[in-house]
Amino acid sequence: MPKFLETKADFDAGLQEAGDKLVVVDFTASWCGPCQVIAPKFEEMEKEFPDCIFYKVDVDKNEETSEAEGINAMPTFKFYRNGKKVDDMTGASEAKLREKIEQNK
């Protein structure tokens, strides 16, 4: 199950520790219906793509990171490599998420 990054420091450390691996971050909220629909699929993808690192950020519990990353809709997925954003997407499309992972891994 993807780890929740509780603070901005956790988020920054997670990106740095990943090195050149693709990091996929799900910016989510407990009250967001589409977020709950895509959540089990996101968890499955963590097993399917072992060469990538998957994290979650609860936008209500980690507002500092959400604001720093400009999150204004959920779910938003951001993709990072070497600590830098390489791609992003908004929405709960499993096919689009899978496509973005394939393109960026």
Side-chain angles (χ1 to χ4, degrees), residues 10-19 23 25 55 80 82-84:
D10 289 347
F11 177 80
D12 293 341
L15 295 187
Q16 287 308 115
E17 291 167 7
V23 178
V25 182
Y55 290 124
Y80 303 86
N82 296 316
K84 299 200 177 349

Side-chain angles (χ1 to χ4, degrees), residues 52-98:
C52 301
I53 298 173
F54 291 75
Y55 290 124
K56 289 184 167 214
V57 171
D58 184 316
V59 298
D60 294 319
K61 292 181 180 168
N62 189 347
E63 289 181 28
E64 185 183 2
T65 298
S66 303
E67 288 175 17
E69 292 298 309
I71 305 303
N72 53 22
M74 279 73 66
T76 292
F77 297 91
K78 291 200 173 195
F79 306 84
Y80 303 86
R81 178 172 278 115
N82 296 316
K84 299 200 177 349
K85 186 183 92 165
V86 295
D87 209 344
D88 62 11
M89 69 167 269
T90 301
S93 168
E94 178 184 358
K96 188 174 174 189
L97 178 57
R98 194 175 296 280

